[in-house]
Amino acid sequence: MWLKPEEVLLKNALKLWVTQKSSCYFILQRRRGHGEGGGRFTGRLVGALDAVLDSNARVAPFRILLQVPGSQVYSPIACGATLEEINQHWEWLEQNLLHTLSVFDNKEDIASFVKGKIKALIAEETSSKLAEQEEEPEKFREALVKFEARFNFPEAEKLITYYSCCCWKGRVPRQGWLYLSINHLCFYSFFLGKELKLIIPWVDVQKLERTCNVFMTDTIRITTQNKERDFSMFLNLDEVFKIMEQLADMTLRRLLDNEIFELDPDLQEPTQITKRDLEARAQNEFFRAFFRLPRKEKLHEVVDCSLWTPFSRCHTVGRMFASDSYVCFASKEDGCCNVVLPLREVVSIEKMEDTSLLPNPIIISIRSKMAFQFIELKDRESLVENLLRRLKQVHANSPVHYDTLKNEAETSSLFQSTSVCSDQKFGNLKLSQNGNTVDKETSPLPNSEALIAIFHQSGTQSPDSRMSREQIKASLWNDHFVEYGRTVCMFRTEKIRKLVAMGIPESLRGKLWLLFSDAVTDLASHPGYYGNLVEESMGKCCLVTEEIERDLHRSLPEHPAFQNETGIAALRRVLTAYAHRNPKIGYCQSMNILTSVLLLYAKEEEAFWLLVAVCERMLPDYFNHRVIGAQVDQSVFEELIRDRLPELAEHMKDLSTLASISLSWFLTLFLSIMPLESAVNVVDCFFYDGIKAIFQLGLAVLEANAVELCGSKDDGQALMILSRFLDHVKNEESPGPPIGNHHAFFSDDQEPYPVTDIADLIRDSYEVRRSTWKLFFKGIVKLYSLHLLFLYMKVFLFVLFFAKIGVNCPYEVIFQAYILLQKFGDQSVEMIEHMRCRHRIRVLQGHEDTTKQNVLRVVIPEVSILPEDLEELYDLFKREHMISCYWEQTSPAFQHHNPNRPYAEQYLIDAQQFTNLYKLVSPWTCGAHTEILAERTFRLLDENMDNLIAFKGFAVCLDIMYNGEMNEKIKLLYRLHLPPALTENDKDSQSPLKNPLLSTSRPLVFGKSNGDAIDYQKQLKQMLKDLAKEKDKTEKELPKMSQREFIQFCKTLYSMFHEDPEENDLYQAIATVTTLLLQIGEVGQRSSSSGSCSDEYMDDVQTEACASTSDQDSVFTDMGKIPQRHSQSLSMTEGDWTVSLEHILASLLTEQSLVNFFEKPLDIKSKLENAKINQYSLKTNELSHQSE
């Protein structure tokens, strides 16, 4: 265990301790009298002393000391009761600390760093132990208080867990604490007087990987848009990395992928997630993926046990998995034995007598007269009780119906469940069973048999040869059924995998597909469901049905079954019914090809449920609008190519080309690019092994063509190489004739191309090996840990030994034990799911990058903001949306993001989010008036009145504020004080007759001599005439501004000048302009009958202004101070007083200080930098005010 460092003098301890190991900074010591071979007096004395001491006073026999070179003071940092225990601590120090300490310049820093790290490890160990004992230990609560104090998040930001670690800044590690919450990764360090805070939203994480650097063998690297952060020195790095992956994956799916978010109820309430929930969720996802069960299945128990396997006459060690509707078993040895027991098939669950040979046994009996014996079950009583309760619920929800049609083919009887009696009882459960099928009136089935039986064709082989091969395969399967079971509950072993790889006989193919995919359970649980769907969906016309009709005649047109209306009609019904069942998927291209093959080998209703199994369980997220699942698997496939085919990956630097070629392999299961009689064998493997079979076969195809691909000059040539190869993959054992593949676009007429048998290709996909020596040296290059290096060296020494004594080829046998590192067939479900989780982050972020680039491509031509600044602005816009999603679960922000919308409309913000952004980045800050101006700006930009605006409108508006000409800025301000921006209910838009008014008695003072006044009069007249001409050219004339609106306009201008360096000059200038405009408004009011402003009155206004010597500073004055002439004019109807944009602009141009203010250059970069820093705090303050 780790010890709190305390200083000791080594000189006084030499008589009691013996040094076993030492390094520059650490010493491992053994206490005398422990582990010595001899019997020296000193050792015996110390040993006797330790033996008689009380247990609390005894000293551990092994310890590790921290030593600083040149110092006589040492600090014990670890102790152990055994050599193995202390060696584990020593190895951890060597791997994680020893190489790091060399970066420090003085010994004080070394001692401080190591002691801080050891204290953190002790705290983490204590926290872990407490966490195991109670739900919320005191240590976790202390960490939560520190987390909230250090990062000032709202209460909704729930902390999941925390760890002690180091964050690398260049070559220097910063020791601190890593906090993982539902939306963020945070790191805090206070080391050597320097504080460091990092906040990384999970939604910004683009890549999460384990790597190594010069000093550390294993680190976690987190990559965001602009930075990479390395974290290391974890006590349990595997656990930390797994939790990071889960949190990043869950957050991205919740916030960026609405389709998945709506399907996964666990993502709906992120505030309820705990560390224990994450572990359970990971286990649940593995369970569903491994046994390919419906997404709604929830795992309840995982129990170590042993299952009696009659074929091997022994108990097989493994685990039982119990969920809502299934009991499953998986052996610890991969592929040895798996069992899937739908509770719908279970008749009874009983406890047997506990014996020494059969400890804690239970028997699960199913309807096909099979029984499964499980032993060594811990907590058997509660397990059986829970299983019986769920079993009762399953049978209550879905009564059992038997299928005993007498006209079934002989082979079909292999899969039927038969009953011993009509009524069976166990506990309080009663199964109602009858031998009648569902009434055909409630479940109409237009096609009662598979299309292959109707449109059967003879092959080129002799009938006897063809039938003999099929009969041999059928006989092998029949023998297998007798020994391993014939229903969905059969024992699934390596033997059945080999039978599948040989190709399933056509007479059994459809039925076995149903069993392997467990679609047979859905079929039996939903009698009449498909018929009702067909009745409801047929005859309706929509976009989906139009797409289906367009693709019907493109589905296997070379097969006679789809050259007439029988096959076409069946395909139409299945696709339309599924689109009606699952409108979120509807219909996607490639579904027609897959469904047409299902219809060939299965009845119509069976084909429907097979399609459901493929789309909703076996290929999750493949058939949606963005085909996220297929893209994720393409990214996984790229990594597998780099790992398993390094030479090919080295030649083809950009593997996206191969990924784009292989996309159709995954979407259509090779049906679109391989002859049908060969591709159905691939589908056989897919239904048994899932997506793993497609990965393996894809790698085998690339391996077979690696030499040619490495010699290809461009992407087109690589595509032709693969297409030609796949077009010549034949099935010599197919009973039917070869069917041309109309999807293949390449054929070589000049010379025959070598044919590859599909059985050989599939076998290679499971068993591919390379040359042993070549494998050895390639493996050495690819090693990432010393453990694997030692393993390979051990094998190498064995090879040399056998070669020396002259034994031939034993190395092939030896390497078979280790060859799993290089075989294509070692793709485990757990590994694939782990890789999918990691690559889903990259794919979703890739979609986000595409969205951003497309939005910026549209907006950049419309604005003058630099592209890099515009990108920063987009990130702020998107982050504002995300922050609302983080902490406001009832916020409609969740509904604002829709990845299926056009790029420019995928992210929308509401009024409050816009106000927050406006405060952060707008140059027009008006103190307390800022929020009012932001609300008016939002109403102006919200042209369709849906209370949402897109990024383009926001960016164009901001561009005018920063880079617009003066007339553009004034026009924007003008529009902000007209409806719809200015409303009657505006917070600051009360009638001017109820408030102090702008004075019209204030004379105009231009700061010029009287002799120059005439020049200004002429200049102003000319401006008005020019603006009138420009107005005629505009398509839409802005309405004139009323007096109430003008007062608000003036208030906004005054607010904008606050805290400006030229504040006094600006106030003086705006007072002058305001007075002039009020007088101009009166001109329009008096001459409204003629509809024009008289030049004579304008001259009088100017003369009066120049003659006056008044020096008032006040802009707002009371009604009593207004002269009678102006008071009378203002008492008129407010609607009669108007002023136009041209008047306002012309008046503002008369004041140079105002012109300078609106034309001075503004720096958006500094605003953006401050906004990135303050965006979180602004939202936090807003939420705290709301809670108050």
Side-chain angles (χ1 to χ4, degrees):
M1 61 181 293
W2 298 106
L3 300 176
K4 184 178 180 180
E6 295 179 355
E7 295 182 351
V8 297
L9 290 176
L10 188 61
K11 181 179 179 181
N12 298 330
L14 287 176
K15 297 180 180 180
L16 300 178
W17 296 89
V18 178
T19 299
Q20 298 280 98
K21 298 181 183 179
S22 65
S23 65
C24 298
Y25 304 100
F26 303 106
I27 297 176
L28 190 154
Q29 292 183 332
R30 173 181 54 81
R31 191 166 177 85
R32 293 184 183 274
H34 294 274
E36 291 183 346
R40 294 183 179 179
F41 177 76
T42 306
R44 289 184 178 183
L45 180 62
V46 175
L49 181 65
D50 290 341
V52 299
L53 287 176
D54 184 73
S55 59
N56 294 327
R58 290 177 185 171
V59 179
F62 300 94
R63 70 176 182 179
I64 298 176
L65 301 175
L66 167 66
Q67 66 168 357
V68 180
S71 174
Q72 293 297 319
V73 178
Y74 293 73
S75 301
I77 58 176
C79 67
T82 63
L83 184 61
E84 291 77 11
E85 179 184 357
I86 204 67
N87 278 334
Q88 289 180 359
H89 289 73
W90 182 267
E91 290 174 2
W92 191 93
L93 291 171
E94 285 185 329
Q95 294 175 6
N96 294 277
L97 285 183
L98 194 58
H99 300 292
T100 307
L101 301 180
S102 60
V103 303
F104 293 98
D105 295 331
N106 55 71
K107 56 187 180 182
E108 288 79 10
D109 291 346
I110 294 175
S112 176
F113 176 78
V114 174
K115 290 178 180 179
K117 183 61 184 176
I118 298 303
K119 290 177 181 178
L121 290 175
I122 295 172
E124 187 173 346
E125 282 186 341
T126 305
S127 175
S128 300
K129 292 177 182 178
L130 290 173
E132 293 176 358
Q133 297 173 1
E134 57 181 289
E135 190 67 27
E136 291 188 1
E138 189 64 30
K139 290 292 183 180
F140 185 84
R141 284 194 288 268
E142 292 178 8
L144 181 61
V145 171
K146 293 179 180 178
F147 170 72
E148 293 174 347
R150 289 167 176 172
F151 299 100
N152 195 30
F153 284 135
E155 293 182 2
E157 186 65 21
K158 182 175 180 179
L159 178 65
I160 302 297
T161 186
Y162 63 99
Y163 299 95
S164 169
C165 70
C166 283
C167 176
W168 289 79
K169 190 173 182 181
R171 298 176 60 182
V172 179
R174 297 291 299 268
Q175 173 65 35
W177 291 93
L178 182 71
Y179 300 91
L180 305 181
S181 64
I182 56 174
N183 297 304
H184 300 86
L185 178 150
C186 304
F187 178 80
Y188 179 85
S189 172
F190 188 83
F191 184 63
L192 300 178
K194 294 183 179 180
E195 185 180 55
L196 174 65
K197 286 184 183 180
L198 290 178
I199 299 177
I200 303 176
W202 293 119
V203 78
D204 289 348
V205 175
Q206 295 185 338
K207 188 186 295 185
L208 193 61
E209 58 187 342
R210 293 175 67 166
T211 182
C212 58
N213 57 28
V214 178
F215 304 101
M216 300 300 301
T217 58
D218 207 356
T219 63
I220 296 177
R221 175 167 294 171
I222 297 175
T223 304
T224 57
Q225 184 177 0
N226 300 318
K227 290 184 179 180
E228 290 183 347
R229 298 284 186 183
D230 288 344
F231 298 90
S232 64
M233 298 189 188
F234 294 98
L235 193 62
N236 189 343
L237 189 137
D238 291 333
E239 175 189 308
V240 178
F241 187 71
K242 187 175 181 180
I243 292 179
M244 283 184 176
E245 273 191 333
Q246 285 185 280
L247 288 172
D249 179 55
M250 289 180 62
T251 305
L252 287 170
R253 292 163 76 177
R254 176 168 57 93
L255 299 178
L256 302 183
D257 195 359
N258 289 18
E259 294 169 316
I260 299 300
F261 174 73
E262 294 172 359
L263 291 174
D264 198 336
D266 294 338
L267 301 181
Q268 305 282 350
E269 293 293 336
T271 56
Q272 304 301 318
I273 296 174
T274 63
K275 181 180 177 182
R276 188 171 298 175
D277 292 334
L278 289 177
E279 295 171 355
R281 176 184 171 82
Q283 199 169 42
N284 201 21
E285 289 186 344
F286 166 74
F287 163 71
R288 291 197 302 253
F290 187 84
F291 296 103
R292 296 187 295 282
L293 300 180
R295 192 175 296 200
K296 64 181 180 181
E297 281 299 309
K298 184 176 181 181
L299 184 64
H300 294 290
E301 292 101 3
V302 180
V303 184
D304 291 331
C305 65
S306 295
L307 171 66
W308 174 255
T309 50
F311 53 88
S312 62
R313 300 185 180 276
C314 67
H315 283 90
T316 300
V317 179
R319 284 185 174 181
M320 174 192 287
F321 301 82
S323 66
D324 294 328
S325 306
Y326 292 85
V327 175
C328 303
F329 175 83
S331 61
K332 287 192 175 181
E333 183 182 347
D334 187 31
C336 177
C337 177
N338 297 329
V339 176
V340 177
L341 303 177
L343 289 181
R344 193 178 185 280
E345 295 290 319
V346 174
V347 172
S348 65
I349 302 175
E350 301 171 335
K351 292 179 289 184
M352 294 176 60
E353 182 181 356
D354 187 6
T355 66
S356 59
L357 295 178
L358 299 176
N360 296 327
I362 68 171
I363 293 288
I364 299 180
S365 302
I366 62 173
R367 292 191 291 124
S368 59
K369 301 180 181 179
M370 289 183 64
F372 297 85
Q373 182 191 77
F374 297 89
I375 63 172
E376 299 176 345
L377 291 160
K378 294 182 179 179
D379 199 9
R380 181 180 62 164
E381 302 295 329
S382 63
L383 175 64
V384 172
E385 181 181 350
N386 293 333
L387 289 176
L388 285 173
R389 176 174 47 80
R390 289 195 290 270
L391 179 62
K392 181 178 179 180
Q393 185 65 37
V394 167
H395 285 279
N397 295 337
S398 179
V400 178
H401 297 277
Y402 284 93
D403 185 9
T404 57
L405 283 176
K406 296 181 181 181
N407 58 353
E408 282 287 343
E410 182 179 353
T411 54
S412 300
S413 64
L414 294 171
F415 308 95
Q416 295 175 8
S417 298
T418 56
S419 174
V420 179
C421 57
S422 59
D423 293 316
Q424 299 183 8
K425 297 181 180 180
F426 54 96
N428 296 322
L429 176 62
K430 180 178 181 179
L431 297 182
S432 176
Q433 302 172 353
N434 59 72
N436 298 325
T437 59
V438 181
D439 188 2
K440 288 189 176 182
E441 293 181 0
T442 62
S443 180
L445 296 178
N447 278 353
S448 60
E449 56 183 336
L451 294 179
I452 198 73
I454 303 175
F455 300 94
H456 186 73
Q457 292 179 297
S458 298
T460 57
Q461 311 170 48
S462 65
D464 293 340
S465 173
R466 182 178 68 252
M467 291 308 298
S468 63
R469 292 186 180 183
E470 284 290 289
Q471 288 171 358
I472 291 173
K473 288 183 180 180
S475 177
L476 291 173
W477 278 99
N478 287 331
D479 294 341
H480 185 275
F481 293 145
V482 172
E483 189 174 4
Y484 294 88
R486 64 183 71 247
T487 68
V488 69
C489 306
M490 69 174 65
F491 291 97
R492 308 184 187 199
T493 66
E494 192 64 32
K495 182 178 178 180
I496 197 172
R497 179 179 282 114
K498 293 178 180 178
L499 288 174
V500 171
M502 290 170 56
I504 299 175
E506 288 192 351
S507 58
L508 303 179
R509 178 165 279 139
K511 295 296 182 180
L512 284 171
W513 286 357
L514 284 168
L515 296 184
F516 294 155
S517 64
D518 196 36
V520 66
T521 301
D522 291 333
L523 173 65
S525 303
H526 298 83
Y529 179 82
Y530 173 68
N532 295 333
L533 275 182
V534 172
E535 291 179 359
E536 294 173 7
S537 60
M538 294 306 293
K540 296 182 179 179
C541 185
C542 60
L543 182 60
V544 172
T545 57
E546 291 177 2
E547 292 179 357
I548 291 174
E549 289 295 328
R550 187 166 55 248
D551 287 345
L552 285 177
H553 295 278
R554 304 174 185 172
S555 308
L556 296 186
E558 66 278 2
H559 198 283
F562 298 99
Q563 293 171 359
N564 63 75
E565 188 57 29
T566 302
I568 294 295
L571 182 59
R572 178 187 295 111
R573 287 190 293 268
V574 173
L575 291 175
T576 307
Y578 184 79
H580 189 73
R581 163 191 165 86
N582 193 342
K584 291 188 180 301
I585 291 180
Y587 170 75
C588 295
Q589 287 187 350
S590 77
M591 287 175 64
N592 60 319
I593 299 173
L594 177 61
T595 307
S596 61
V597 174
L598 298 178
L599 283 168
L600 285 178
Y601 296 98
K603 300 175 185 178
E604 188 172 318
E605 186 176 14
E606 294 172 345
F608 170 79
W609 287 110
L610 283 170
L611 182 64
V612 170
V614 171
C615 295
E616 299 177 11
R617 295 206 300 265
M618 304 186 73
L619 294 178
D621 313 328
Y622 263 58
F623 302 99
N624 53 30
H625 294 286
R626 298 194 296 170
V627 291
I628 293 294
Q631 294 184 53
V632 170
D633 282 349
Q634 292 309 294
S635 185
V636 172
F637 192 51
E638 288 185 37
E639 181 176 341
L640 290 174
I641 294 172
R642 294 189 187 94
D643 183 44
R644 307 304 170 94
L645 301 172
E647 289 181 354
L648 181 60
E650 184 178 353
H651 173 75
M652 303 189 73
K653 299 297 184 182
D654 185 10
L655 291 178
S656 60
T657 301
L658 289 179
S660 62
I661 295 174
S662 63
L663 180 61
S664 61
W665 304 356
F666 287 78
L667 284 173
T668 66
L669 308 180
F670 285 89
L671 290 168
S672 64
I673 40 82
M674 192 182 286
L676 179 62
E677 66 274 8
S678 302
V680 290
N681 284 31
V682 178
V683 180
D684 294 342
C685 298
F686 168 75
F687 275 115
Y688 183 76
D689 268 326
I691 195 63
K692 166 185 172 180
I694 307 301
F695 280 118
Q696 292 173 182
L697 189 63
L699 291 171
V701 169
L702 295 180
E703 170 80 359
N705 294 273
V707 176
E708 290 188 71
L709 288 173
C710 288
S712 61
K713 299 179 180 179
D714 52 38
D715 299 344
Q717 187 176 356
L719 175 60
M720 294 174 70
I721 291 170
L722 293 173
S723 300
R724 183 174 57 180
F725 173 83
L726 291 169
D727 193 37
H728 287 80
V729 176
K730 305 299 181 183
N731 187 356
E732 300 296 338
E733 299 181 359
S734 174
I739 297 176
N741 184 6
H742 80 288
H743 298 281
F745 56 86
F746 183 91
S747 63
D748 190 353
D749 297 329
Q750 297 179 357
E751 58 182 20
Y753 189 82
V755 173
T756 303
D757 190 82
I758 183 62
D760 295 336
L761 188 61
I762 290 175
R763 185 168 56 252
D764 290 344
S765 72
Y766 283 98
E767 302 293 340
V768 165
R769 295 178 177 86
R770 301 195 192 111
S771 168
T772 304
W773 298 106
K774 184 178 178 182
L775 169 63
F776 174 78
F777 290 110
K778 282 184 175 292
I780 292 298
V781 174
K782 294 176 60 179
L783 290 178
Y784 298 108
S785 66
L786 291 176
H787 172 73
L788 291 179
L789 176 60
F790 292 146
L791 182 146
Y792 268 83
M793 289 302 298
K794 186 187 299 183
V795 175
F796 181 63
L797 292 175
F798 270 114
V799 171
L800 293 180
F801 170 73
F802 280 104
K804 186 174 181 180
I805 64 177
V807 180
N808 293 326
C809 301
Y811 54 85
E812 289 289 352
V813 179
I814 297 172
F815 264 91
Q816 287 181 9
Y818 301 98
I819 203 72
L820 290 177
L821 292 171
Q822 293 292 326
K823 282 172 58 179
F824 296 159
D826 72 326
Q827 317 292 335
S828 68
V829 173
E830 187 174 12
M831 185 190 75
I832 290 176
E833 289 303 308
H834 177 74
M835 295 173 69
R836 276 177 165 178
C837 179
R838 179 155 34 91
H839 285 275
R840 189 181 295 111
I841 297 173
R842 301 182 186 181
V843 170
L844 288 175
Q845 291 291 14
H847 276 270
E848 291 300 302
D849 289 341
T850 301
T851 299
K852 177 163 71 170
Q853 295 306 320
N854 281 279
V855 172
L856 294 179
R857 189 179 299 115
V858 173
V859 177
I860 284 175
E862 304 290 331
V863 299
S864 301
I865 301 176
L866 296 176
E868 56 269 23
D869 294 336
L870 194 64
E871 186 174 353
E872 293 282 349
L873 186 63
Y874 178 88
D875 292 337
L876 286 172
F877 186 90
K878 176 183 171 181
R879 190 175 297 121
E880 185 63 37
H881 164 87
M882 292 299 175
I883 289 176
S884 297
C885 296
Y886 293 158
W887 304 318
E888 300 176 35
Q889 298 303 315
T890 59
S891 170
F894 279 115
Q895 305 170 6
H896 297 172
H897 176 240
N898 186 351
N900 298 322
R901 285 188 186 138
Y903 289 118
E905 300 175 10
Q906 287 191 14
Y907 285 104
L908 305 171
I909 59 174
D910 57 22
Q912 185 57 55
Q913 294 168 328
F914 177 85
T915 300
N916 293 339
L917 274 180
Y918 186 94
K919 293 177 181 178
L920 290 169
V921 298
S922 174
W924 292 354
T925 52
C926 312
H929 194 69
T930 302
E931 187 170 346
I932 297 171
L933 189 61
E935 292 173 358
R936 293 174 184 168
T937 307
F938 180 83
R939 288 193 291 267
L940 178 64
L941 297 177
D942 185 19
E943 296 178 354
N944 57 0
M945 307 294 289
D946 63 349
N947 294 320
L948 296 170
I949 65 167
F951 175 71
K952 181 179 179 181
F954 175 72
V956 170
C957 176
L958 208 62
D959 182 59
I960 294 175
M961 296 180 183
Y962 277 98
N963 303 314
E965 300 290 339
M966 179 178 178
N967 60 330
E968 294 175 326
K969 294 179 180 179
I970 300 302
K971 183 178 179 180
L972 176 59
L973 279 171
Y974 185 86
R975 294 179 63 194
L976 290 176
H977 296 83
L978 295 175
L982 187 71
T983 63
E984 291 293 336
N985 299 324
D986 197 292
K987 297 178 183 177
D988 196 30
S989 62
Q990 295 85 0
S991 171
L993 299 179
K994 300 177 184 178
N995 288 296
L997 294 175
L998 289 174
S999 173
T1000 59
S1001 63
R1002 182 183 180 90
L1004 293 174
V1005 179
F1006 292 103
K1008 301 286 183 180
S1009 61
N1010 289 340
D1012 295 334
I1014 299 176
D1015 295 335
Y1016 271 87
Q1017 295 173 23
K1018 293 180 179 179
Q1019 183 180 356
L1020 187 55
K1021 290 178 183 180
Q1022 186 61 41
M1023 285 182 182
L1024 291 173
K1025 291 179 181 179
D1026 294 340
L1027 289 170
K1029 293 179 182 178
E1030 291 294 327
K1031 183 176 68 175
D1032 294 338
K1033 298 178 183 179
T1034 59
E1035 297 179 1
K1036 184 177 180 181
E1037 181 180 353
L1038 289 174
K1040 292 186 178 181
M1041 186 178 281
S1042 67
Q1043 190 180 72
R1044 179 182 71 88
E1045 295 162 350
F1046 176 70
I1047 297 298
Q1048 299 304 318
F1049 178 84
C1050 294
K1051 286 184 177 180
T1052 299
L1053 289 179
Y1054 270 89
S1055 302
M1056 290 172 62
F1057 301 150
H1058 182 59
E1059 295 184 357
D1060 190 274
E1062 306 295 331
E1063 181 178 1
N1064 292 332
D1065 293 340
L1066 291 170
Y1067 281 157
Q1068 178 71 21
I1070 196 61
T1072 303
V1073 171
T1074 302
T1075 305
L1076 173 60
L1077 288 170
L1078 284 170
Q1079 293 172 353
I1080 292 176
E1082 290 181 4
V1083 173
Q1085 186 178 16
R1086 293 178 180 177
S1087 59
S1088 58
S1089 58
S1090 60
S1092 62
C1093 176
S1094 66
D1095 291 342
E1096 290 79 3
Y1097 184 75
M1098 190 68 197
D1099 293 341
D1100 293 342
V1101 171
Q1102 299 288 357
T1103 303
E1104 178 184 347
C1106 295
S1108 176
T1109 58
S1110 177
D1111 193 27
Q1112 299 180 30
D1113 291 329
S1114 176
V1115 178
F1116 292 94
T1117 182
D1118 295 333
M1119 286 289 292
K1121 296 182 181 180
I1122 300 177
Q1124 184 177 2
R1125 169 184 170 187
H1126 300 293
S1127 178
Q1128 292 174 355
S1129 67
L1130 292 177
S1131 65
M1132 299 177 64
T1133 304
E1134 186 180 345
D1136 294 337
W1137 188 100
T1138 59
V1139 66
S1140 68
L1141 171 64
E1142 291 75 15
H1143 293 146
I1144 293 176
L1145 185 56
S1147 302
L1148 292 173
L1149 288 171
T1150 61
E1151 292 293 331
Q1152 189 62 40
S1153 58
L1154 295 176
V1155 173
N1156 294 339
F1157 177 81
F1158 283 106
E1159 290 190 346
K1160 66 181 178 182
L1162 299 174
D1163 181 25
I1164 193 174
K1165 289 184 182 294
S1166 58
K1167 277 281 187 179
L1168 294 175
E1169 290 298 325
N1170 291 330
K1172 287 192 292 185
I1173 298 173
N1174 300 321
Q1175 193 171 18
Y1176 271 86
S1177 59
L1178 182 65
K1179 187 66 178 181
T1180 303
N1181 294 335
E1182 175 195 335
L1183 292 175
S1184 62
H1185 289 317
Q1186 290 177 1
S1187 61
E1188 292 173 2

